[in-house]
Amino acid sequence: HALPLAFYLYNKYKSKEEVQQRVVFTTHTPEKAGNEEHNINHMAKMGFFDSLDLGTVREITETQGDMFSLTVGAIKLSKRVNAVSKIHARVSNEMWSDILGDREIIPITNAQNKKFWLDKGLQRAFEENEDYEIVARKKHNKRLLFDTVADQTGKLFDPDILTIVWARRFAEYKRANLIIRDYERLKNLVERSEKPIQVIWAGKPHPADSNAINLFNQLIYITRDLKGCAVLIGYELALSTELKKGADVWLNNPRYTREASGTSGMTASMNGALHLSIDDGWHPEFAKKGENSFTIPATDHTLDIETQDEIDYKNMMEKIEDEVIPLYYDEPKKWSTMMKNAIKDSIHNFNSGRMADEYYTKMYNFEKDKS
């Protein structure tokens, strides 16, 4: 965590206000695991506070008790705090309302580097506005991805079949297994002779997260006999790039309000994959109904988890069966138009240049008398 630099600065300047003028903070997640708390005495012994006495640490961070929150400390010692999407800013302001005082956590939505992620062949076809070339390039990229599927699993995927990809961190709230909640229903979609689908999962569970590891292994076991389903390992940059270039649909189905941003969908959209997502994270700022993506209606996040999962599963499957599949197979012209819109809207609004400019003007170079 970067917070120790604030205590180094306090040792140097002996003033909380001087520290705040030099520090800004980005909160990245509402998840408890991403807002760590540790025993303040142990942290002091480990040198976290740059030899400051605990009385001073408690005073400048307004900490009571033995547990020290890294997020609270960072908020207290920063001049400005931002979240990584508009919804995340709203959630964060509610989460930390008791410590923010008259301050507000502002949104600076994440972005991705187009130059790194965007397939060059697809970019040329898009810039020349060639629908045929865009579709042909997507099928080429699907074949490259399917070579990896064959190498890892022995399964032979068809580039003419609608391919849905779920790929990201294997955190429980991201619900990698939601689409397989009803095995027979998925099996029917995968194995039917008319308008079938293919599904690929990839990602990494945290090595200390036994539930996520078990979920990953269960997906491999459950899908082993489904020829149109594959779980891939080795989710590093190369595989991530292949998946985003080769996906027809990029599936994102976290529990509502718990996806801070979801940047994988941005790079998938840059590569002509249509984002099928819960209306959370960056998606509400991107999605245009019927134009560039598909939106799964948001569920009341105050409901119990089992009820949320059941409602979201129902809404997601209805969206796939009634809208996504018919559009892909029956209206290829509209599908390619949506691909172009996805590329255009993602590279215009979610490229890293926009984000860097916002960090400079709204965070680094911010002065209180500026609007």
Side-chain angles (χ1 to χ4, degrees), residues 165-171 174 202-205 235 250-254 259 262 264-265 275:
V165 173
W166 189 104
R168 53 187 49 82
R169 276 191 308 117
F170 260 71
K174 292 178 182 285
K204 279 192 172 181
Y235 189 61
W250 195 261
L251 178 60
N252 182 49
N253 50 260
E259 183 72 276
S264 66
H275 204 225

Side-chain angles (χ1 to χ4, degrees), residues 64-330:
Q64 299 178 353
D66 288 335
M67 298 306 292
F68 181 86
S69 167
L70 303 188
T71 301
V72 172
I75 291 173
K76 293 292 185 181
L77 295 175
S78 301
K79 69 175 179 179
R80 294 221 90 187
V81 182
N82 78 284
V84 292
S85 73
K86 291 180 180 178
I87 287 183
H88 182 221
R90 173 172 60 77
V91 171
S92 298
N93 278 297
E94 292 172 359
M95 283 180 63
W96 307 111
S97 60
D98 57 334
I99 66 165
L100 284 168
D102 61 355
R103 295 196 297 166
E104 179 184 14
I105 297 175
I106 66 168
I108 299 179
T109 302
N110 277 339
Q112 290 279 31
N113 185 346
K114 176 189 74 173
K115 186 175 180 180
F116 178 87
W117 289 104
L118 179 54
D119 178 68
K120 300 302 184 290
L122 187 66
Q123 183 178 7
R124 285 193 297 271
F126 169 73
E127 291 173 349
E128 294 169 4
N129 197 27
E130 292 286 350
D131 283 17
Y132 173 80
E133 291 297 330
I134 289 172
V135 173
R137 185 66 183 183
K138 172 60 71 172
K139 284 194 177 181
H140 169 76
N141 289 336
K142 288 172 77 172
R143 291 187 183 96
L144 295 178
L145 170 60
F146 296 167
D147 285 345
T148 299
V149 172
D151 286 345
Q152 288 201 21
T153 71
K155 297 179 179 181
L156 302 179
F157 277 27
D158 185 341
D160 290 323
I161 293 178
L162 172 66
T163 302
I164 299 174
V165 173
W166 189 104
R168 53 187 49 82
R169 276 191 308 117
F170 260 71
E172 187 271 339
Y173 76 90
K174 292 178 182 285
R175 300 185 296 188
N177 59 343
L178 189 66
I179 195 173
I180 208 165
R181 189 176 177 90
D182 183 337
Y183 175 83
E184 292 300 324
R185 189 172 181 177
L186 178 64
K187 181 180 179 182
N188 175 62
L189 290 176
V190 170
E191 295 186 347
R192 65 189 186 180
S193 57
E194 292 187 4
K195 302 176 184 177
I197 67 171
Q198 297 167 150
V199 184
I200 300 173
W201 289 266
K204 279 192 172 181
H206 191 281
D209 188 344
S210 58
N211 289 331
I213 293 170
N214 290 337
L215 172 58
F216 189 89
N217 292 335
Q218 287 168 7
L219 276 174
I220 295 174
Y221 179 78
I222 290 169
T223 63
R224 71 194 188 286
D225 295 326
L226 292 178
K227 293 181 180 180
C229 290
V231 182
L232 303 182
I233 62 172
Y235 189 61
E236 302 289 353
L237 284 174
L239 178 57
S240 176
T241 302
E242 282 188 9
L243 288 161
K244 288 160 182 173
K245 291 180 179 180
D248 292 310
V249 171
W250 195 261
L251 178 60
N252 182 49
N253 50 260
R255 293 196 181 93
Y256 180 63
T257 75
R258 296 177 66 178
E259 183 72 276
S261 180
T263 52
S264 66
M266 299 174 187
T267 46
S269 295
M270 288 179 184
N271 284 286
L274 300 188
H275 204 225
L276 170 60
S277 178
I278 295 288
D279 208 22
D280 197 10
W282 78 290
H283 184 80
E285 301 171 45
F286 165 76
K288 298 174 183 175
K289 185 177 180 180
E291 294 185 26
N292 65 3
S293 59
F294 306 98
T295 301
I296 303 165
T299 308
D300 180 357
H301 69 281
T302 63
L303 296 170
D304 64 273
I305 284 177
E306 181 62 24
T307 302
Q308 287 185 55
D309 289 354
E310 183 59 34
I311 295 173
D312 284 340
Y313 172 75
K314 174 179 176 292
N315 290 337
M316 178 182 69
M317 295 307 290
E318 287 179 354
K319 184 69 66 170
I320 291 172
E321 292 171 341
D322 299 340
E323 189 172 338
V324 177
I325 293 174
L327 189 68
Y328 179 83
Y329 287 105
D330 300 337

Side-chain angles (χ1 to χ4, degrees), residues 318-352:
E318 287 179 354
K319 184 69 66 170
I320 291 172
E321 292 171 341
D322 299 340
E323 189 172 338
V324 177
I325 293 174
L327 189 68
Y328 179 83
Y329 287 105
D330 300 337
E331 300 184 66
K333 177 65 176 177
K334 184 175 180 181
W335 187 276
S336 63
T337 298
M338 290 183 69
M339 287 175 63
K340 289 190 293 183
N341 289 338
I343 296 168
K344 172 176 65 70
D345 294 340
S346 56
I347 64 178
H348 284 180
N349 300 315
F350 300 94
N351 191 25
S352 51

